Amino acid sequence: MRQTSRFLFCGHTSGKVTLRDLRTFKTEHEFDAFSGSLSDFDVHGNLLAACGFSSRGLNGLACDRFLMVYDLRMMRAVTPLQVHVDPLFLRFIPTYTSRLAIISQTGQCQFCEPTGLANVADIFHVNTVGHLLMSFDVSSSKQALAFGDSGGCVHLWSDSPDVSFNDYSRETEFALPCLVDTLPHLEWNHDLLPLSLIPMTLTSTEPLLSDWPAALATPSPRRAPPVDPEILRTMKTVGFIGYAANPRARPRNQVPYKIKDVEQDYDSYSQVPESPIGRDEEPHLYMVPKKYRKVTIKYSKLGLEDFDFKHYNKTLFAGLEPHIPNAYCNCMIQVLYFLEPIRCLVQNHLCQKEFCLACELGFLFHMLDLSRGDPCQASNFLRAFRTIPEASALGLILADSDEQTGKARLGRLIQSWNRFILTQLHQETQEQEGPQAYRGATSSSLGSSGESAIGRLFGCEVENSSLCRCGKETVRSSLTLLFTMHYPEQNSQEKTIKEYGFAEILKKSICLEQSTQAWCENCEKYQPTVQTRNIRCLPDVLVINCEVNSAKEAEFWKIQAEYAFTKARQKEASEPAMPKESPLMPTEWCLDGEDVCSMDGFTRLEDLRHMWMPLTLKMSISKTQGLEISSWPEGEELSETEEADGASLYDLVVTVPHVLDARTGGNLVAHIKVGETYHQRKEGVTHQQWYLFNDFLIEPIDKTEAAQFDMSWKVPGILYYAKRNYHTKYDLRIKNPIDASVLLTEASLARKQRKSHATFIPLMVSEMPQAGDLVGLDAEFVTLNQEEAELRSDGTKSTIKPSQMSVARITCVRGQGPNEGVPFIDDYISTQEQVVDYLTQYSGIKPGDLDAKISSKHLTTLKSTYLKLRFLIDTGVRFVGHGLQKDFRVINLLVLKDQVIDTVYLFHLPRKRMISLRFLAWYFLDLSIQGETHDSIEDARTALQLYRKYLGLSRGGGSDEVRKVLKGLYEKGRQMDWKVPDTDAGDGRGSPKSAAAFPPVIGL
């Protein structure tokens, strides 16, 4: 017998195979395989193969060397398969193909395809030492074959020594031996020793304690909880199965019998979570506040169009999307953006390196400036980031599996990324001869000078001295961009950790003193040396990597926070009570920027819990005492004497914590104190406010929340302290470095490209676009990563992670003038990343078109074409195209709505389907386009013609006429099932409309 999802197959000694219904067992079909008898059969997919015996008249039965093969889709026999052994057993082995194993009783074994010809070379022999084979089977994993012979032996064949017999193998559980005969040695000191291992004499007189009376031992199963009324109300029945949307009122596949009121704590936004000690099991379920948890985008059929980002971000600042490889650094991109000198520096920077992180940050920050609350994505920046060899060497580029499974140590990773990005930006933005001068790999090293703006902002001149025990002292000077926290070692004899102030630890970390083995030129060998570090000047922005990478550092930070809270509580108890006319006000009321809560430095005592680091530091360097650091009340200013002595105040402006969440693998967020200039640009108000940035979730928070670190779920990673009013000495004007020269003729990267193959005519100086000019645009894409989706129980598909696309071709055509419709940009984009699907049917891109060695197209870098589009956007042209929203999203451009004319929305009625460009061209223009593949020049021209058609309709009869025409369009579409009828070749493109509107591009 064999069973599949459709039938139960039964073999008979008469040579027949019967197919029965799985529920009623009634005969549905019958195959008469052999005239004699059936010896074996097997089923796989749509094929049934059988072997058996045929009648030979008076000679009785003979083994038939023809295998009968049946196609279960058509329920008929296909060509029998002739084999070279006498088949007695057969099995399908569907590893790579639907291979059959045919076994004879004498031990011969042959492998062949059920629809091909058998080969004599594929015969093997099982050495049975004269015995006959009586049985044969294949393991469920298809990795092992087992033969049983008449001598009682089992022969096991496999392709490797360590074979897995089943997909989910577990060791066989054998019956335990009698413990009374062989009593084991019992370890009494073991806490988990089961006392049931102790044997006990059975008595017939006294009842056992475990022998409960029948009244108390009645089985009482738990009732299943009632079905949620919401499920019953929305359920749709198909046959005898009901389908309903999951209201998500309970955890999936779990039935809670003890329901506790924990939801309010779980969803509380404002409450700082308490210590998990004393909570129920799995405390992490309720520990992390909702706004700190990892946010994910839920994709629908419309992609991102119907996802409500405003629910997560009610500000006008732009978030960043997380579903891009290596998007763990989104929080640090926001940190760099909200430092005004860096924002201006990278937007003024432009060089000719293909992959320059400063250039890409400048493009991204320009998008963040333009956005009014809509999220952006850092895809082009992260694309360039993946190509930097140093990033790969430092382990900063994560595999997709590490990001999804949470294996990456994000806290340590983001601190390495912080060091890397500051170093990289320092090297890339050092002063150049010209605004677009190409800088090769020979840029000056970090230790040479701090001539870049990054060096002036973060750089600190450091003096490192090494003192050997022979008395030889070596002093070296260098530039450092950040400092790492070093925590004191605890003696094994001391059970408690001493109390330290944050300023004290920070000073010891900056002026570090440690003993190590180093080479001494005087002794000419490695000697124990004392290395000390001193700083000569104070940076404008002090960057600190917290280095809380182990439980020891986390415990130190936690104990110091408890010391600080205890001290604050004692201080409050010793001070007189506040007068009644100024009641305590919750800090959450002060999120709009009024400084009510922080009057006279006042903060609620409870807000100081888990808080060790101060919001303001006073730092100074004196010739006698060196570096001095101390905590400072946040609202106070320095006296004139202190300022004259060179003291400076540093305010906390950034904290980047690592959020520990066992369910999602954790994530990184940023607390950023957003300055007045950003609020002025976005909201027209002048104030400062702390915000939480969690990818596309942005929410205002209180200042104390930014400095609170509950080590059970929120671990400090990076701190930024900025000198008060530091940005006044920087030039914060942005001069757009992209000029009209980017549109002029450029050489192709392709070696085989010829001028006769040119598909576009570059713009002349007299044709330079002006604000309001029309430009037809179309782009084609290739796929770098396929989408990840899951199939729900009701049969619908849910997208977990969308496919990662990369732009492969960008075309811009003139929208007016004598050369209207003639392309002036038709760039194929070279890519260094592996393409998994060229989507040739839809994009027209073929393998090799993007390879500089063999391509005959006009091949350029993404950055070169990106600059052309940025110049057009900055000029103020209006783009005409079909489905431009997706095009700009993949190109990673943000274009204002009044600069986009999208024909997919011009010819669309509310709550109706979107109409394809091909159908619109056929209906309105009598053009047949996109026959075999898509051509971006053709698509851009067609979109321009459709816009002209729309303008004609609007001028002719106004909005009523347009609506009437669109109703006719939708009616025709329904009749045609939205399919364009096939036309003769040349009927479309050679139409008079097409030829008259756009002359062909002449060969150059």
Side-chain angles (χ1 to χ4, degrees):
M1 295 171 67
R2 298 284 184 270
Q3 180 180 341
T4 65
S5 58
R6 294 175 58 198
F7 298 110
L8 179 68
F9 300 82
C10 303
H12 302 267
T13 54
S14 60
K16 296 180 179 180
V17 180
T18 307
L19 282 65
R20 298 179 179 272
D21 186 271
L22 285 172
R23 298 174 66 185
T24 61
F25 299 114
K26 291 182 180 178
T27 301
E28 298 285 338
H29 300 280
E30 190 174 68
F31 298 137
D32 194 353
F34 295 98
S35 57
S37 180
L38 187 75
S39 61
D40 201 1
F41 76 96
D42 200 7
V43 182
H44 173 66
N46 296 314
L47 293 177
L48 182 149
C51 61
F53 301 90
S54 299
S55 299
R56 293 288 188 265
L58 298 176
N59 295 329
L61 299 179
C63 191
D64 199 327
R65 289 204 174 188
F66 283 91
L67 303 183
M68 299 302 295
V69 183
Y70 295 90
D71 191 329
L72 299 178
R73 293 170 294 188
M74 297 177 287
M75 293 298 174
R76 64 179 179 83
V78 295
T79 307
L81 179 65
Q82 185 178 9
V83 296
H84 301 91
V85 300
D86 292 332
L88 187 68
F89 308 104
L90 63 82
R91 286 288 184 278
F92 278 104
I93 308 179
T95 49
Y96 302 105
T97 58
S98 304
R99 187 176 297 176
L100 268 173
I102 302 107
I103 314 297
S104 73
Q105 197 166 18
T106 57
Q108 290 176 308
C109 174
Q110 182 171 9
F111 297 94
C112 61
E113 298 292 331
T115 55
L117 295 176
N119 190 349
V120 182
D122 292 334
I123 298 179
F124 304 92
H125 196 80
V126 182
N127 186 10
T128 59
V129 199
H131 296 290
L132 299 178
L133 290 183
M134 307 301 293
S135 60
F136 163 67
D137 210 343
V138 182
S139 70
S140 61
S141 65
K142 313 301 179 190
Q143 295 183 18
L145 311 179
F147 308 87
D149 63 21
S150 57
C153 294
V154 176
H155 305 263
L156 183 64
W157 285 15
S158 70
D159 59 351
S160 64
D162 301 324
V163 61
S164 174
F165 297 103
N166 301 306
D167 292 332
Y168 303 100
S169 295
R170 287 189 296 184
E171 292 186 8
T172 306
E173 295 183 5
F174 296 99
L176 292 174
C178 180
L179 295 178
V180 177
D181 298 337
T182 57
L183 293 178
H185 174 72
L186 300 181
E187 188 64 47
W188 286 106
N189 295 328
H190 201 287
D191 294 338
L192 301 179
L193 176 71
L195 297 179
S196 58
L197 292 177
I198 303 172
M200 178 177 169
T201 56
L202 299 178
T203 60
S204 57
T205 56
E206 298 179 5
L208 296 175
L209 185 63
S210 60
D211 191 9
W212 285 34
L216 298 177
T218 306
S220 178
R222 283 177 171 170
R223 285 177 181 268
V227 179
D228 192 324
E230 180 66 17
I231 294 178
L232 297 176
R233 187 181 67 81
T234 59
M235 187 169 65
K236 295 179 181 178
T237 306
V238 179
F240 59 90
I241 300 176
Y243 295 97
N246 184 0
R248 304 195 182 280
R250 293 175 177 168
R252 194 178 182 88
N253 298 329
Q254 297 180 30
V255 180
Y257 285 97
K258 292 182 180 180
I259 300 173
K260 299 189 177 181
D261 298 327
V262 294
E263 291 301 320
Q264 292 182 351
D265 295 340
Y266 186 52
D267 289 333
S268 171
Y269 262 53
S270 58
Q271 178 184 353
V272 177
E274 301 170 357
S275 168
I277 298 172
R279 287 181 183 249
D280 298 326
E281 60 276 4
E282 297 185 334
H284 61 267
L285 290 179
Y286 317 112
M287 197 187 306
V288 182
K290 195 170 184 178
K291 60 184 174 183
Y292 284 94
R293 296 179 213 150
K294 195 171 187 176
V295 289
T296 55
I297 300 176
K298 294 180 175 61
Y299 294 86
S300 66
K301 291 181 180 178
L302 300 177
L304 288 175
E305 290 182 25
D306 58 346
F307 186 76
D308 185 15
F309 285 106
K310 293 293 183 186
H311 173 74
Y312 297 89
N313 177 17
K314 294 181 172 57
T315 72
L316 293 179
F317 301 115
L320 291 170
E321 295 180 17
H323 292 296
I324 308 170
N326 298 291
Y328 67 86
C329 60
N330 278 349
C331 58
M332 279 304 301
I333 293 174
Q334 295 279 18
V335 167
L336 297 174
Y337 172 70
F338 284 104
L339 290 171
E340 190 85 27
I342 292 187
R343 184 186 77 88
C344 300
L345 167 71
V346 295
Q347 290 198 60
N348 285 321
H349 171 84
L350 185 63
C351 67
Q352 294 179 357
K353 285 173 62 177
E354 180 180 359
F355 299 112
C356 171
L357 295 189
C359 290
E360 295 296 345
L361 268 185
F363 302 150
L364 178 58
F365 288 176
H366 178 75
M367 294 167 57
L368 295 176
D369 276 346
L370 291 179
S371 174
R372 304 290 292 173
D374 295 320
C376 302
Q377 52 178 356
S379 52
N380 285 0
F381 170 78
L382 292 173
R383 177 178 184 259
F385 170 66
R386 291 194 293 271
T387 65
I388 306 293
E390 291 85 351
S392 179
L394 291 169
L396 301 178
I397 299 173
L398 294 183
D400 285 348
S401 57
D402 290 343
E403 286 191 86
Q404 293 168 5
T405 56
K407 290 181 180 176
R409 303 182 66 179
L410 293 177
R412 180 170 291 178
L413 193 69
I414 199 65
Q415 293 175 73
S416 300
W417 195 93
N418 183 35
R419 185 185 300 274
F420 162 78
I421 197 68
L422 294 182
T423 306
Q424 191 74 16
L425 292 178
H426 174 71
Q427 293 176 355
E428 291 177 350
T429 60
Q430 281 175 334
E431 291 179 351
Q432 306 165 7
E433 294 177 3
Q436 293 191 15
Y438 176 76
R439 301 191 74 258
T442 59
S443 56
S444 56
S445 64
L446 248 187
S448 60
S449 66
E451 59 187 11
S452 76
I454 297 292
R456 293 195 299 272
L457 187 66
F458 301 104
C460 184
E461 207 171 336
V462 171
E463 191 178 81
N464 296 294
S465 65
S466 298
L467 180 63
C468 178
R469 62 183 180 183
C470 70
K472 170 79 172 176
E473 184 176 11
T474 307
V475 179
R476 294 184 180 88
S477 295
S478 63
L479 184 78
T480 185
L481 299 176
L482 57 80
F483 294 97
T484 300
M485 293 283 279
H486 290 265
Y487 303 98
E489 292 287 337
Q490 183 185 3
N491 287 332
S492 56
Q493 300 173 356
E494 298 176 358
K495 294 185 179 180
T496 58
I497 299 176
K498 292 181 181 179
E499 181 179 355
Y500 293 93
F502 179 83
E504 181 184 356
I505 298 296
L506 179 59
K507 179 183 176 181
K508 289 182 178 179
S509 301
I510 295 176
C511 300
L512 189 62
E513 181 175 326
Q514 55 187 2
S515 299
T516 183
Q517 290 276 21
W519 179 263
C520 178
E521 295 180 355
N522 192 28
C523 304
E524 295 186 348
K525 61 180 178 179
Y526 283 98
Q527 291 279 54
T529 58
V530 177
Q531 296 184 343
T532 56
R533 181 173 67 187
N534 292 297
I535 62 173
R536 295 177 179 173
C537 62
L538 293 174
D540 288 339
V541 178
L542 177 65
V543 184
I544 304 167
N545 278 355
C546 294
E547 288 293 330
V548 184
N549 297 324
S550 68
K552 187 169 70 172
E553 285 113 3
E555 183 66 18
F556 177 85
W557 194 287
K558 177 183 175 183
I559 296 296
Q560 299 308 321
E562 290 176 358
Y563 282 139
F565 181 67
T566 304
K567 189 180 291 184
R569 192 163 52 189
Q570 292 171 353
K571 182 180 178 182
E572 186 190 58
S574 62
E575 290 179 353
M578 295 280 293
K580 290 187 178 179
E581 46 267 32
S582 57
L584 296 179
M585 301 175 68
T587 53
E588 287 78 11
W589 297 354
C590 307
L591 296 183
D592 293 327
E594 303 92 340
D595 218 8
V596 179
C597 295
S598 56
M599 245 192 294
D600 300 325
F602 169 70
T603 309
R604 288 191 312 172
L605 177 64
E606 190 59 32
D607 289 336
L608 298 177
R609 188 183 293 275
H610 307 300
M611 188 169 165
W612 177 41
M613 42 183 282
L615 295 173
T616 305
L617 291 170
K618 174 191 168 188
M619 297 180 66
S620 62
I621 298 179
S622 64
K623 294 181 179 179
T624 55
Q625 297 177 331
L627 176 66
E628 293 183 357
I629 306 177
S630 60
S631 300
W632 189 262
E634 186 189 13
E636 296 186 14
E637 296 288 343
L638 289 172
S639 64
E640 294 181 2
T641 308
E642 290 171 317
E643 287 184 359
D645 291 341
S648 301
L649 292 182
Y650 283 79
D651 293 317
L652 183 68
V653 292
V654 169
T655 61
V656 177
H658 177 204
V659 177
L660 306 177
D661 191 344
R663 295 169 305 164
T664 61
N667 57 296
L668 294 162
V669 300
H671 304 119
I672 304 175
K673 187 179 183 181
V674 178
E676 297 176 356
T677 53
Y678 292 89
H679 284 101
Q680 182 68 39
R681 279 194 301 271
K682 293 283 187 181
E683 300 173 346
V685 295
T686 306
H687 75 131
Q688 296 184 353
Q689 173 64 50
W690 279 94
Y691 289 91
L692 166 70
F693 289 83
N694 182 7
D695 290 331
F696 54 83
L697 183 151
I698 303 175
E699 187 173 312
I701 58 172
D702 188 54
K703 60 186 178 183
T704 54
E705 187 174 340
Q708 286 175 321
F709 294 101
D710 182 350
M711 304 306 291
S712 56
W713 64 272
K714 186 180 176 187
V715 180
I718 299 169
L719 310 176
Y720 277 52
Y721 278 93
K723 188 181 290 186
R724 195 165 289 181
N725 301 320
Y726 74 99
H727 54 268
T728 54
K729 64 180 184 180
Y730 291 91
D731 184 4
L732 301 181
R733 292 172 297 178
I734 296 177
K735 182 183 177 183
N736 191 350
I738 305 173
D739 56 27
S741 63
V742 297
L743 288 177
L744 301 179
T745 308
E746 63 176 350
S748 170
L749 298 177
R751 299 175 185 173
K752 296 186 177 182
Q753 209 254 345
R754 301 284 184 271
K755 286 191 175 181
S756 59
H757 295 158
T759 55
F760 66 99
I761 302 176
L763 290 174
M764 303 298 181
V765 176
S766 59
E767 292 182 295
M768 282 300 158
Q770 306 297 321
D773 286 356
L774 295 181
V775 172
L777 175 72
D778 191 61
E780 308 294 353
F781 308 104
V782 293
T783 302
L784 300 181
N785 283 322
Q786 300 287 11
E787 77 167 18
E788 298 176 15
E790 65 178 359
L791 208 59
R792 297 196 186 100
S793 56
D794 60 355
T796 60
K797 188 177 80 168
S798 170
T799 302
I800 302 171
K801 189 175 182 181
S803 59
Q804 186 190 353
M805 311 288 284
S806 177
V807 63
R809 183 184 182 187
I810 296 177
T811 302
C812 291
V813 302
R814 296 165 172 86
Q816 57 275 308
N819 289 330
E820 180 179 347
V822 178
F824 63 91
I825 296 174
D826 187 25
D827 291 348
Y828 285 75
I829 310 301
S830 171
T831 179
Q832 295 185 356
E833 298 184 285
Q834 186 174 0
V835 177
V836 299
D837 191 351
Y838 284 90
L839 305 171
T840 305
Q841 181 183 352
Y842 307 104
S843 67
I845 307 295
K846 299 175 183 175
D849 284 353
L850 309 181
D851 189 342
K853 297 178 182 177
I854 60 177
S855 176
S856 61
K857 311 296 184 184
H858 184 264
L859 205 62
T860 67
T861 63
L862 175 62
K863 183 177 178 180
S864 170
T865 308
Y866 190 95
L867 288 172
K868 299 174 188 176
L869 295 178
R870 258 294 302 275
F871 177 76
L872 294 175
I873 294 170
D874 296 343
T875 304
V877 305
R878 293 190 298 158
F879 293 97
V880 182
H882 193 81
L884 289 180
Q885 186 176 1
K886 180 187 176 185
D887 291 0
F888 287 134
R889 175 179 168 79
V890 178
I891 299 170
N892 203 16
L893 274 169
L894 191 124
V895 188
L896 299 177
K897 289 184 179 179
D898 56 0
Q899 286 184 254
V900 178
I901 301 168
D902 200 334
T903 54
V904 81
Y905 295 110
L906 291 182
F907 298 94
H908 175 249
L909 288 175
R911 296 182 297 278
K912 300 283 187 182
R913 63 169 285 163
M914 302 293 184
I915 303 176
S916 69
L917 182 66
R918 186 171 189 230
F919 193 86
L920 291 174
W922 171 80
Y923 185 83
F924 286 109
L925 308 175
D926 194 23
L927 290 177
S928 176
I929 64 170
Q930 301 175 353
E932 295 181 0
T933 63
H934 291 219
D935 180 24
S936 56
I937 296 178
E938 181 183 61
D939 291 354
R941 286 174 175 170
T942 306
L944 273 172
Q945 285 181 277
L946 284 170
Y947 178 55
R948 301 286 187 203
K949 182 72 175 178
Y950 178 82
L951 291 178
L953 291 173
S954 301
R955 284 193 292 264
S959 59
D960 293 337
E961 176 66 21
V962 172
R963 188 169 182 81
K964 182 179 176 182
V965 171
L966 290 183
K967 285 184 177 178
L969 166 68
Y970 276 92
E971 186 62 34
K972 186 69 173 177
R974 280 191 291 271
Q975 293 175 9
M976 304 285 294
D977 197 20
W978 301 104
K979 294 179 181 176
V980 175
D982 294 331
T983 56
D984 295 331
D987 188 32
R989 290 177 197 167
S991 76
K993 293 181 182 179
S994 175
F998 301 123
V1001 180
I1002 59 173
L1004 298 181

